[in-house]
Amino acid sequence: EEYQDKLIPRLGGLHTAMNFLKAIGDHMAGSGLAEVWLECGLLGEGAVQLVSSGKAYNKAMRAHKLTLQALWRLLLPTFLLFAAESDRECDDEVSAMATDDKPERIAELITCLKQERFRKLLKDFIGSKSDDVNFIFWWNYMDMVSILLQFTRAHRDGISELHLHFFSLMLPYFMRYDHLNLAR
């Protein structure tokens, strides 16, 4: 009774993350991502099957992180071109910081990317691509991986509110890909 108001029951983070990895695998089925992982030597054939089914947590996290980074590298020039046309000042700041690998410049870039005007610019960029079905598909993948990474961070750091926030962002995907036990 003394702990009644102090304890918050929640599902295990690993179980939730592995189910979300399965949802990501369901989302990406037939997209060619598994073939890319095989061709580049990132994963073997057996590992690709395990990653797609949400079984190999460490391999899946590594593969999805590297894929997310590669997609951002491909997307950045297009975004910077859009930024140059839409908001020249923001484009100049981001371009200058993105090309410099010094740690202090990277910290400045992260601070810049958190600003509201950058978020609005990114939202406008995504809106401008809303007719491109291929972009939307891959953007959804990037969003899912970002949710997973932030959920993992919140769980590891013990930030309950953030943990619940990212779990709530996972719920529509659990429903979409028939992970009904977690959705309930």
Side-chain angles (χ1 to χ4, degrees), residues 74-102:
L74 292 171
L75 187 61
L76 188 61
T78 307
F79 174 71
L80 291 176
L81 190 63
F82 176 83
E85 295 170 359
S86 302
D87 185 350
R88 188 69 188 159
E89 183 180 318
C90 186
D91 173 57
D92 291 340
E93 284 181 51
V94 172
S95 296
M97 289 182 242
T99 57
D100 196 349
D101 289 340
K102 294 178 184 171

Side-chain angles (χ1 to χ4, degrees), residues 12-170:
L14 180 63
H15 176 74
T16 304
M18 289 179 77
N19 272 281
F20 198 64
L21 284 168
K22 172 73 169 108
I24 293 173
D26 292 344
H27 178 74
M28 298 308 292
S31 68
L33 182 60
E35 290 79 11
V36 169
W37 287 339
L38 276 170
E39 285 293 318
C40 74
L42 181 62
L43 297 171
E45 194 169 324
V48 167
Q49 296 299 325
L50 290 172
V51 165
S52 297
S53 63
K55 302 286 183 200
Y57 177 80
N58 289 334
K59 289 179 183 183
M61 292 297 281
R62 181 175 182 267
H64 288 301
K65 283 179 190 178
L66 290 172
T67 305
L68 180 66
Q69 183 180 9
L71 289 171
W72 267 114
R73 286 182 182 236
L74 292 171
L75 187 61
L76 188 61
T78 307
F79 174 71
L80 291 176
L81 190 63
F82 176 83
E85 295 170 359
S86 302
D87 185 350
R88 188 69 188 159
E89 183 180 318
C90 186
D91 173 57
D92 291 340
E93 284 181 51
V94 172
S95 296
M97 289 182 242
T99 57
D100 196 349
D101 289 340
K102 294 178 184 171
E104 61 272 2
R105 295 295 281 177
I106 293 172
E108 290 174 20
L109 177 62
I110 291 170
T111 303
C112 177
L113 298 180
K114 290 180 181 178
Q115 294 176 358
E116 185 60 35
R117 68 184 181 135
F118 177 79
R119 289 182 184 178
K120 183 184 179 317
L121 186 62
L122 185 60
K123 188 176 180 180
D124 292 344
F125 173 69
I126 295 166
S128 73
K129 299 285 190 181
S130 63
D131 294 338
D132 186 353
V133 178
N134 194 30
F135 174 84
I136 296 300
F137 175 78
W138 286 98
W139 184 260
N140 282 337
Y141 167 74
M142 293 170 68
D143 188 44
M144 290 175 80
V145 173
S146 296
I147 290 169
L148 175 65
L149 294 174
Q150 293 173 64
F151 172 82
T152 303
R153 171 91 187 267
H155 182 74
R156 287 180 180 170
D157 290 348
I159 307 170
S160 298
E161 294 83 18
L162 206 54
H163 174 89
L164 292 174
H165 171 72
F166 288 111
F167 184 74
S168 71
L169 295 178
M170 291 176 170

Side-chain angles (χ1 to χ4, degrees), residues 1-9 160:
E1 291 181 11
E2 65 184 273
Y3 297 111
Q4 188 173 1
D5 295 333
K6 298 176 184 171
L7 294 178
I8 301 172
S160 298

